[in-house]
Structures are given as structure tokens and as C-alpha cells.
Amino acid sequence: MKDKDLLLRLTFCLAVGGLGTVAVMCLFVGFGFSTVIGKEAVYLCLVLQAVHVAVMHSRENRLLRSSQAPLPSKKMRCIRAFAAWLWRLGALTLVASLFLILIGMLMSSLWVVLTCWIGFFAMLAGWLLRLMTFHRLCQSSIALAMEKERV
């Protein structure tokens, strides 16, 4: 991985920008999760993170298929799978809250607000775990390349 992956960096910046949008709109401006603007920020964050997760997943697969990175240990594979499923659970829960809004529930309804909160924080935790496992895989690919050069 000597080349700089611009698409990965761009999608990472967009995903962090989505989180920044949520922070500004829901925390600093004070709209909250139960308003239209707060929900738009959360759903925008979901879309931007989904793009970044898809790019990360393709880069992980490329590294592993081309043998540029060693196969992760069993524990790391379990952590990667847990992170992926946690992110998916959060994304599905956020989509469920959007579905509840679309079928006519109020945005301040307990079910809509609860699914939005749970989905957002599960998605955020899963994304952060995915970032950590991806960084670990990239670092092990660099170490493997240095090992091959030394030998």
C-alpha cells in the first residue's frame, strides 16, 4: 500500500464531515434528534458512512486477495465481523426509524426517537471499530512489505 488511496481518504473525510454535521446540528445548534433538521443530519451521516464503509470493505478485500496483507488472526476476524454486524445493525435501525416516519409516525414519537438514538450510536461504534480493524490490516500489510524487502 505505497500508493495513497485518494478515494478512501475522500470518503473518510466525508464520513467525518457527516459526524460533524450531526454534532453541529444536534448538539451545538440545539435542534436535537427529534426535529427534521436533526434527522436529516443523522441520515446524511448514515449515507456518507455507508459509502466509506463500502470503500473500506473493497480495500480490505483487495489487500487480502492480493496477499499484500497477512491473514488476520481468529480474534481479529471475530472483531471485524462484530464491527461489521454492529454497523449493519445501526444502519438498519436508522432505516427503520426513517420507515416509521414515512408511514406516518410523528418524529417526536418514542419509537422513532428510540430507534434513531440506538441506530446512530450502534452505527458510530461499529464504524469506529471498522476503522480500527482496517488500520490494523493496513499496518500489517506495511509490516509484511518491509519483511519481504528485508529478506
Side-chain angles (χ1 to χ4, degrees):
M1 270 195 48
K2 291 182 182 178
D3 60 326
K4 295 181 175 146
D5 196 348
L6 294 179
L7 182 62
L8 186 67
R9 290 180 183 204
L10 176 68
T11 57
F12 173 74
C13 288
L14 289 173
V16 171
L19 281 176
T21 302
V22 171
V24 167
M25 291 298 150
C26 293
L27 299 176
F28 300 136
V29 177
F31 285 113
F33 274 22
S34 59
T35 63
V36 174
I37 295 173
K39 294 251 190 282
E40 286 176 358
V42 170
Y43 297 135
L44 175 68
C45 180
L46 170 66
V47 170
L48 294 174
Q49 276 191 8
V51 171
H52 183 250
V53 166
V55 171
M56 254 193 323
H57 182 70
S58 72
R59 297 309 188 253
E60 284 175 346
N61 286 341
R62 186 183 69 186
L63 281 174
L64 290 173
R65 269 193 253 121
S66 67
S67 299
Q68 290 178 348
L71 288 176
S73 67
K74 186 176 180 180
K75 287 181 184 179
M76 185 55 70
R77 285 192 308 261
C78 289
I79 292 172
R80 284 179 63 203
F82 175 73
W85 280 106
L86 185 63
W87 189 87
R88 288 178 195 139
L89 176 73
L92 286 174
T93 309
L94 276 175
V95 170
S97 73
L98 179 61
F99 179 74
L100 290 174
I101 292 170
L102 291 176
I103 63 170
M105 289 187 97
L106 294 174
M107 285 192 196
S108 59
S109 168
L110 177 66
W111 285 106
V112 175
V113 172
L114 190 63
T115 55
C116 193
W117 277 98
I118 291 171
F120 179 73
F121 286 112
M123 182 186 69
L124 181 62
W127 183 65
L128 291 174
L129 276 173
R130 294 246 344 168
L131 280 175
M132 287 188 281
T133 58
F134 180 73
H135 181 70
R136 168 91 175 171
L137 185 69
C138 290
Q139 293 301 312
S140 63
S141 73
I142 292 170
L144 184 65
M146 289 175 63
E147 180 84 17
K148 287 180 181 177
E149 285 179 7
R150 195 169 36 143
V151 174

